[in-house]
Amino acid sequence: MLVKIQSIANVGLETVPVDVEVDVASKGFPGFTIVGLASKAVEEARERVKTSIINSGFDFPAKKITVNLAPADLPKDGAAYDLPIAVGVLLASGQLPPSILSNLTKMFFYGELSLDGALRPTKGILLLGLFAQKKGNCQIFVPAKSAAEATVVSAIKVIPIKSLISLVDHLTGLKNIKALKYIPVTDELDILPAEFDLAEISGQEQAKRALIIAASGGHNLLMYGPPGTGKTMLARALPGILPPLSTQEALEVTRVYSISGLLKPGLALIKRRPFRAPHHGVSAAGLIGGGSNPLPGEVSLAHLGVLFMDEMPEFPRSVLESLRQPIEDGVVEIVRVLGHVQYPASFTLVAAINPCPCGYLGHPRRECKCSDKQIAKYHHRISGPILDRIDLHVCVSVVEIDKLAFVNIDQNKITSKIAKNQVMKARKIQEKRFKDLPIYTNSQMHNREVKKLCFLTPEAENFLKLASQKYDFSARSYFRLIKVARTIADLENSPKILVNHMAEALQYKQMI
Amino acid sequence: MKSLNKKMGKLAEDLACQELIKKDYQIIKRNFQNRFGEVDIIAQDKKVLIFVEVKAKTGENFGLPEEMISKGKLAKIRHMASIYTNGQEVQCRIDVVAVVLDMNGDLVRLTHYENVY
């Protein structure tokens, strides 16, 4: 008998329906073959399915079994086809009631089996949920350990499966498994405290202001200064002032984590903005994404959050240069032999660098020991085009000793809470501005939108013109300047960009 | 144990021959062997030459005889077949006869699979 079980394949973040056709022939030499461009992990499903069916106390038919994963030209990877194949074998060999056959088009099976018939956590459940939602009125049968991922998807029934036996009991009607309850995303988005509060960082008022602007508009930020002045602490405080993810954003981020298998079993959703701080030994494939079956890299894992590059000049040059395209487009396109995938990568880049190899160039008291050549070489490691893409350059200078003293610890210092409020207000304004567009922040605007949505007063325009002539800004810098000014104006709730907003934006411009 | 297996194998081959004869096949040769391997039975059904592999098991506790026939074994029989036919154009196929015996050597089950390669 031939049965068709529905499942899915994830190609990047795209979901493609896969028909798992299982034929248990009445004639022919017994055997078990899987066809349909299956990878090694899928090929091995043969042994897992066979053993888990036998160990669950069912019969594995000694017949000619052929499994086809259609469409046949799409490469399939991962162990998620174990469950659909097992269900197909049981159904085609008459061990499940044939009444299910008529409902099969509304059922999706997905999950990895272990040899004892239990289901193991499987990645990509959320994507299956979203796909089933689009199809409408569907049931998805997924491993209980990762079923929580799909509970944030409305209008589908998520049936958590612990083992093959419990699934059979459910399908035969012996013992029903309750579908998981739908959890609205908004209830899930609670706020976890960040590692550092802004108030814990002494001095650095200008850097904190820049941090708030970066958080409000999603602008890239570069901090330079001697070691030990608080660059890393500032960056780590950033997640604490970022607004919580919106429903749409949370789903977008969770999709990336679901596909890379980084969602912990039992966790439904990524609730806070990602903060990724890759070590400078990272490879280009690790940062951008890659592998023969391309997986998201750090830039995609930092989607809608922060990518922090500490000691930026220490990163290999080729790795840094590969950042250019994602910074500009907000997406990465990875092309490999097996196919071509696109991952979102709309992140805020925060970079920290020392002014020279020894770190003390420009220090008020300590002497820099580097030669001119060394300093030039150090600066040369970060190319102009990368610096050009960073809107906010801020100097994190040495903290004066009396500012470090414990006495004036709570002297009208800006705390993360206050900063967060400011950021949220600015984000609200942006939300209203971009309600018809697929973007969230000022920094994501394209030039077309800048022209349409950013209104400058004549003085501000004149100021910008003078500045661009004087400093020879590139066209990109010109527009980026306006975007930063727009964010500063948003922070002050000003509908137009005034000359002082422009001036502040200019102050953060790279002048080296 | 070894000699018991040999005895059982021989018995199974005899049973397989009986089954083939019952199906009006002609037995042409038994245990055709050379340094590349062995074909248990060579039979003929009308114009088709049949190379038969017989697999016997005592009891099904340690798996089915069907499971014990690997791709490699079939490839070996195929190789043997091409040696036997020696370039002549004849129709041929490979069959498998799976035999399950009990401890006393009585037949439990005998299944004949046609054209398995």
Side-chain angles (χ1 to χ4, degrees):
Chain A
M1 191 167 81
L2 171 74
V3 289
K4 244 188 220 182
I5 310 285
Q6 289 195 85
S7 192
I8 56 149
N10 294 321
V11 184
L13 285 180
E14 242 175 88
T15 309
V16 183
V18 169
D19 281 337
V20 180
E21 301 172 340
V22 182
D23 181 54
V24 177
S26 51
K27 264 184 158 179
F29 190 65
F32 190 178
T33 37
I34 297 178
V35 295
L37 225 55
S39 74
K40 190 82 189 135
V42 182
E43 273 291 320
E44 284 168 352
R46 258 195 343 224
E47 302 306 321
R48 282 192 299 271
V49 167
K50 192 170 176 180
T51 317
S52 61
I53 284 183
I54 293 167
N55 284 344
S56 301
F58 303 109
D59 259 348
F60 190 82
K63 286 180 178 164
K64 187 179 168 65
I65 301 171
T66 314
V67 176
N68 180 29
L69 307 171
D73 59 345
L74 178 83
K76 285 129 204 125
D77 196 20
Y81 302 106
D82 292 2
L83 184 65
I85 293 172
V87 171
V89 170
L90 289 175
L91 201 55
S93 59
Q95 298 182 69
L96 282 172
S99 57
I100 304 165
L101 281 172
S102 53
N103 293 329
L104 275 181
T105 52
K106 291 283 174 204
M107 289 174 170
F108 284 90
F109 293 87
Y110 193 80
E112 178 185 339
L113 281 168
S114 77
L115 293 185
D116 59 357
L119 275 118
R120 296 175 48 77
T122 312
K123 60 186 185 185
I125 304 281
L126 176 69
L127 279 85
L128 168 65
L130 291 170
F131 181 78
Q133 185 190 34
K134 241 187 263 164
K135 247 196 129 191
N137 198 19
C138 284
Q139 291 184 50
I140 63 170
F141 295 83
V142 291
K145 280 179 190 144
S146 21
E149 272 180 42
T151 51
V152 292
V153 183
S154 63
I156 55 162
K157 261 181 154 178
V158 183
I159 317 277
I161 309 294
K162 281 212 180 73
S163 66
L164 207 51
I165 302 178
S166 66
L167 173 66
V168 172
D169 284 351
H170 174 79
L171 292 175
T172 48
L174 271 179
K175 207 162 128 201
N176 260 323
I177 303 171
K178 255 204 191 143
L180 287 184
K181 238 173 85 187
Y182 163 64
I183 308 166
V185 176
T186 39
D187 296 3
E188 286 287 289
L189 296 173
D190 53 7
I191 301 135
L192 297 149
E195 232 177 309
F196 292 111
D197 194 292
L198 276 187
E200 285 173 49
I201 301 158
S202 322
Q204 314 302 10
E205 276 71 24
Q206 197 198 6
K208 286 178 188 169
R209 169 75 178 166
L211 216 53
I212 293 171
I213 297 170
S216 304
H219 300 288
N220 300 323
L221 173 68
L222 177 108
M223 295 181 281
Y224 59 92
T229 48
K231 297 185 296 291
T232 309
M233 270 176 98
L234 281 163
R236 296 214 174 258
L238 183 56
I241 64 170
L242 284 169
L245 291 162
S246 73
T247 310
Q248 194 52 41
E249 286 177 325
L251 281 174
E252 243 178 77
V253 176
T254 310
R255 258 164 34 128
V256 178
Y257 278 76
S258 177
I259 195 71
S260 41
L262 287 176
L263 217 52
K264 290 190 191 81
L267 203 70
L269 205 65
I270 300 285
K271 298 167 192 173
R272 65 198 293 193
R273 287 186 186 269
F275 180 87
R276 304 291 296 188
H279 184 257
H280 55 245
V282 68
S283 68
L287 193 67
I288 298 302
S292 59
N293 183 24
L295 281 176
E298 289 293 330
V299 291
S300 301
L301 294 173
H303 180 54
L304 298 174
V306 178
L307 180 73
F308 177 48
M309 301 181 97
D310 209 353
E311 314 296 348
M312 199 185 197
E314 303 299 331
F315 282 77
R317 200 187 163 110
S318 60
V319 170
L320 283 180
E321 296 309 310
S322 64
L323 275 177
R324 286 192 200 182
Q325 190 226 346
I327 292 180
E328 200 67 2
D329 303 341
V331 289
V332 272
E333 235 162 272
I334 308 165
V335 182
R336 292 287 186 275
V337 181
L338 278 181
H340 154 134
V341 295
Q342 201 177 47
Y343 287 117
S346 189
F347 56 88
T348 302
L349 176 69
V350 178
I353 64 172
N354 289 141
C356 68
C358 81
Y360 293 106
L361 182 69
H363 193 284
R365 284 174 303 280
R366 279 181 80 152
E367 191 190 350
C368 169
K369 291 195 182 79
C370 310
S371 67
D372 287 351
K373 210 172 166 188
Q374 273 178 313
I375 296 169
K377 205 176 157 196
Y378 193 70
H379 281 238
H380 197 67
R381 296 184 70 116
I382 305 172
S383 69
I386 290 286
L387 289 177
D388 198 34
R389 283 168 169 85
I390 299 177
D391 308 326
L392 304 166
H393 290 244
V394 58
C395 177
V396 182
S397 50
V398 180
V399 195
E400 294 306 320
I401 296 298
D402 40 318
K403 278 200 176 177
L404 280 178
F406 297 105
V407 221
N408 50 8
I409 198 132
D410 48 11
Q411 222 180 51
N412 62 22
K413 252 187 194 164
I414 188 158
T415 62
S416 284
K417 210 173 156 193
I418 302 170
K420 190 170 189 162
N421 276 337
Q422 291 180 9
V423 171
M424 300 241 293
K425 266 185 209 146
R427 287 261 178 151
K428 273 251 163 68
I429 299 170
Q430 293 172 55
E431 207 176 285
K432 223 182 269 167
R433 181 178 303 137
F434 304 128
K435 64 178 184 294
D436 302 325
L437 295 165
I439 55 178
Y440 304 111
T441 56
N442 285 337
S443 65
Q444 292 172 318
M445 279 192 284
H446 295 292
N447 295 354
R448 181 168 11 107
E449 280 116 39
V450 173
K451 279 181 187 152
K452 218 169 78 188
L453 297 167
C454 299
F455 309 107
L456 282 79
T457 58
E459 297 88 58
E461 205 166 347
N462 201 25
F463 181 84
L464 177 63
K465 212 166 161 188
L466 279 173
S468 342
Q469 273 165 2
K470 176 131 202 259
Y471 297 110
D472 265 338
F473 288 147
S474 68
R476 178 171 36 230
S477 295
Y478 180 87
F479 281 107
R480 284 194 170 247
L481 207 59
I482 300 177
K483 289 190 223 174
V484 176
R486 181 65 262 170
T487 306
I488 297 169
D490 284 343
L491 275 168
E492 275 159 32
N493 203 3
S494 154
K496 274 196 174 178
I497 301 170
L498 306 178
V499 72
N500 58 332
H501 303 144
M502 211 47 155
E504 194 182 345
L506 191 64
Q507 172 198 316
Y508 297 117
K509 192 73 206 126
Q510 170 207 358
M511 293 300 169
I512 356 165
Chain B
M1 199 65 214
K2 266 266 150 69
S3 68
L4 177 73
N5 274 348
K6 227 173 192 170
K7 229 169 73 192
M8 289 291 187
K10 180 81 177 62
L11 186 66
E13 280 174 28
D14 291 342
L15 290 166
C17 275
Q18 283 172 26
E19 169 77 14
L20 296 179
I21 290 164
K22 224 194 300 178
K23 286 191 175 171
D24 271 348
Y25 291 13
Q26 259 181 306
I27 307 294
I28 292 177
K29 201 169 172 62
R30 281 184 61 173
N31 300 332
F32 167 68
Q33 55 181 308
N34 62 12
R35 62 195 171 106
F36 297 113
E38 184 189 28
V39 178
D40 293 334
I41 304 166
I42 299 173
Q44 193 165 7
D45 176 19
K46 282 157 208 140
K47 278 190 177 162
V48 187
L49 204 55
I50 306 163
F51 298 88
V52 186
E53 169 67 16
V54 180
K55 194 81 204 170
K57 283 254 140 217
T58 316
E60 289 191 342
N61 290 343
F62 295 98
L64 307 175
E66 284 90 339
E67 287 175 49
M68 304 298 151
I69 293 182
S70 61
K71 277 217 170 96
K73 181 76 192 168
L74 290 176
K76 212 170 203 176
I77 296 167
R78 193 187 147 101
H79 187 194
M80 289 296 294
S82 62
I83 292 169
Y84 184 83
T85 50
N86 197 14
Q88 304 163 46
E89 287 209 11
V90 282
Q91 279 189 52
C92 51
R93 66 168 206 244
I94 295 172
D95 285 12
V96 169
V97 176
V99 183
V100 181
L101 304 167
D102 66 10
M103 283 313 273
N104 306 323
D106 292 332
L107 182 67
V108 179
R109 171 172 80 87
L110 186 147
T111 326
H112 176 202
Y113 298 99
E114 292 177 15
N115 204 6
V116 297
Y117 195 79

